[in-house]
Amino acid sequence: MLLRKVRSAIDACIWMDRRKLWRWLVAAVALCVVAIASLHRTSGAVQRRSWGPGERPPHILFVVLDDMGSHDLGLHGTGIDTPIMDKMVEDGVYLSNYYVLPACSPTRAALMSGRYPLHTGVNNIIFEGSTVGLPLDEETLPQILARGGYKRHMVGKWHMGSARWEQMPTFRGFESFYGFVNGMEDFFSHAAGGAHDFRYDDREKCGPGCSKVVDERGKYSSHLYADAAIDIIDQHDLEGGPLFLYLSFQAVHAPEQVPEEYERRYNGKDWSKFRKTYAGMLTCADEAIGNVTAALKARGMWEDTLVIGTTDNGGPTETCVVSAASNWPLRGGKCSLWEGGTRGDGFLSGPALDRYKIPKGSNGNLFHVVDWLPTLAEIAGAEPQGKPLDGVSQLQSLAQGPAARHDAYLGTIPWPVPASEQGQ
């Protein structure tokens, strides 16, 4: 009997040890799963901090002009003063066969995702109050560049969804955001739809308790954006990763507003006041770009900088709205599928072009706005890990290689916009 009790006690101890061992194993496996999941979630933000000689990718200044016509820059003989961008084109590459989408939100979503609107669902202008936005499961350009070690900052117009915090720029890969989120607003009061739309988010995932509404009333947006971009450049850690600065101007979108001294420059022109105001807006934006590049030079960053310039759609001349833009000799404008709405100015410039043996001049190979993401991903040495891309890398094509694409998606006609998509 005693022997039987001893054996039962030993068996109980062994069973207790087995249960403890089993619990320990379960806990260990759980910790491993959590660690792997955490690594997977943060893999897009892992930043490489050291490069060998000549390996660090260049700084990237990506400039978007809003609603700029394809026949507005001074280089086209328009009479509008845009000496900074004209010089960039002269010293760089002009994309003479460059296509965007016919409206703002579809182009911006395509740029950030490398995917056509028929795949992202962003087919139309995103109006105030709408819940539409670039889907949260789309990998974005700044998220990819993060894996290449880039510091990513955005200044200006977002317009890719703002109904939820998760749709905002600092939740989509940017480390800071200064600007506005809707499609248009007053250039001086920064009012949109009866509300004030201007904020500063100073870190990643800057949501409630972090995102700040800032009062910049009375100050012209192009000047504010240039100052914010210069601050980012001045504070950039030169020993850290390269800088990706997405500078998305409000100009030259409606409403037609500009400080008087810029419009006054065109008093001698036999133009309508509408065109003079528009010209002043474009000249002011051009000056702002020059101030930003001057800051890059002052910090010793310019010699290792790539500049990209693009419009987001053709100038609005007849379909959904009419501005003083010109797309001559192309037919149509914004919100149409004619080339006046889908073909625009695009260029690359900056000393970093030499690193990739990209010759100066006009490049006539077909280039679509979705191609920027894979092209810049290749430059950054970072592989996209999201959904299949519609864009293709144009890096070899730009270096006088064969054409990278032979067709392009022009989009859908985004006008009139159904009430269901206007947040009504």
Side-chain angles (χ1 to χ4, degrees):
M1 177 69 70
L2 179 61
L3 181 61
R4 197 176 296 164
K5 288 183 178 180
V6 170
R7 184 175 296 172
S8 297
I10 292 173
D11 288 342
C13 290
I14 292 173
W15 175 245
M16 289 292 291
D17 288 341
R18 283 175 179 170
R19 284 196 297 173
K20 289 180 181 178
L21 178 62
W22 177 248
R23 289 173 182 167
W24 184 87
L25 287 173
V26 169
V29 170
L31 284 172
C32 288
V33 170
V34 170
I36 292 170
S38 177
L39 179 61
H40 177 74
R41 286 195 305 269
T42 59
S43 61
V46 173
Q47 297 189 352
R48 197 170 60 234
R49 290 295 180 183
S50 62
W51 292 268
E55 289 182 349
R56 195 179 92 153
H59 307 295
I60 300 171
L61 171 61
F62 201 116
V63 178
V64 179
L65 276 300
D66 197 351
D67 278 7
M68 183 176 71
S70 57
H71 189 72
D72 283 333
L73 290 177
L75 61 92
H76 299 304
T78 63
I80 297 179
D81 294 330
T82 53
I84 302 300
M85 286 185 279
D86 293 351
K87 180 63 173 172
M88 285 183 174
V89 171
E90 180 183 339
D91 294 341
V93 181
Y94 182 74
L95 303 175
S96 60
N97 201 13
Y98 178 61
Y99 286 83
V100 289
L101 282 308
C104 33
S105 299
T107 290
R108 294 164 193 272
L111 164 63
M112 283 293 151
S113 67
R115 287 161 52 82
Y116 290 141
L118 58 88
H119 291 140
T120 66
V122 185
N123 289 288
N124 267 320
I125 300 166
I126 298 175
F127 283 82
E128 297 157 16
S130 172
T131 59
V132 175
L134 181 65
L136 301 182
D137 60 353
E138 293 284 354
E139 186 179 46
T140 66
L141 176 59
Q143 288 170 340
I144 294 169
L145 295 182
R147 293 197 294 273
Y150 275 86
K151 306 298 291 182
R152 298 93 48 215
H153 299 276
M154 179 184 170
V155 174
K157 174 178 171 177
W158 176 240
H159 207 196
M160 280 178 276
S162 56
R164 301 168 54 186
W165 286 113
E166 291 81 4
Q167 293 176 315
M168 296 287 282
T170 61
F171 288 81
R172 306 310 303 268
F174 287 105
E175 296 175 84
S176 73
F177 166 62
Y178 175 86
F180 72 111
V181 298
N182 287 302
M184 64 177 288
E185 65 177 12
D186 189 281
F187 278 78
F188 291 98
S189 71
H190 314 293
H196 187 75
D197 183 8
F198 211 95
R199 65 182 56 250
Y200 175 51
D201 301 345
D202 63 1
R203 58 181 180 270
E204 290 185 88
K205 292 181 169 50
C206 186
C210 172
S211 182
K212 302 177 183 66
V213 174
V214 292
D215 185 358
E216 301 286 13
R217 285 175 292 184
K219 300 175 185 177
Y220 191 66
S221 69
S222 294
H223 294 157
L224 289 171
Y225 297 154
D227 289 345
I230 291 169
D231 286 344
I232 290 169
I233 292 166
D234 288 344
Q235 295 170 23
H236 180 68
D237 179 7
L238 297 178
E239 301 302 318
L243 173 64
F244 174 62
L245 177 53
Y246 179 59
L247 179 55
S248 178
F249 281 94
Q250 180 181 356
V252 285
H253 197 289
E256 285 69 27
Q257 297 172 317
V258 73
E260 185 179 347
E261 61 266 29
Y262 294 97
E263 182 179 329
R264 196 184 304 128
R265 299 185 189 190
Y266 298 98
N267 281 346
K269 299 285 187 182
D270 186 22
W271 296 349
S272 67
K273 185 181 187 313
F274 205 28
R275 180 67 172 174
K276 290 177 183 177
T277 303
Y278 178 92
M281 295 167 71
L282 188 52
T283 295
C284 183
D286 184 76
E287 177 186 274
I289 295 168
N291 291 338
V292 173
T293 56
L296 288 167
K297 293 172 184 176
R299 291 244 35 217
M301 298 167 65
W302 175 248
E303 293 304 316
D304 193 26
T305 293
L306 173 67
V307 180
I308 295 168
T310 180
T311 184
D312 62 343
N313 44 251
T317 57
E318 59 183 42
T319 306
C320 52
V321 67
V322 176
S323 78
S326 172
N327 301 313
W328 187 88
L330 303 179
R331 180 180 180 179
K334 178 180 179 178
C335 298
S336 80
L337 295 182
W338 299 113
E339 287 204 325
T342 59
R343 191 170 175 178
D345 281 331
F347 62 84
L348 302 91
S349 194
L353 285 177
D354 293 340
R355 182 195 296 198
Y356 303 100
K357 298 180 171 55
I358 298 176
K360 299 177 176 64
S362 179
N363 186 301
N365 288 335
L366 183 60
F367 198 119
H368 193 278
V369 67
V370 293
D371 297 335
W372 289 121
L373 182 145
T375 301
L376 295 181
E378 183 175 353
I379 287 174
E383 188 73 23
Q385 297 177 0
K387 298 177 181 179
L389 298 179
D390 296 308
V392 294
S393 176
Q394 294 274 2
L395 197 56
Q396 298 306 313
S397 175
L398 290 167
Q400 291 189 313
R405 67 160 58 244
H406 301 282
D407 54 31
Y409 175 73
L410 300 183
T412 58
I413 299 175
W415 200 265
V417 178
S420 61
E421 296 187 24
Q422 296 184 34
Q424 300 177 355

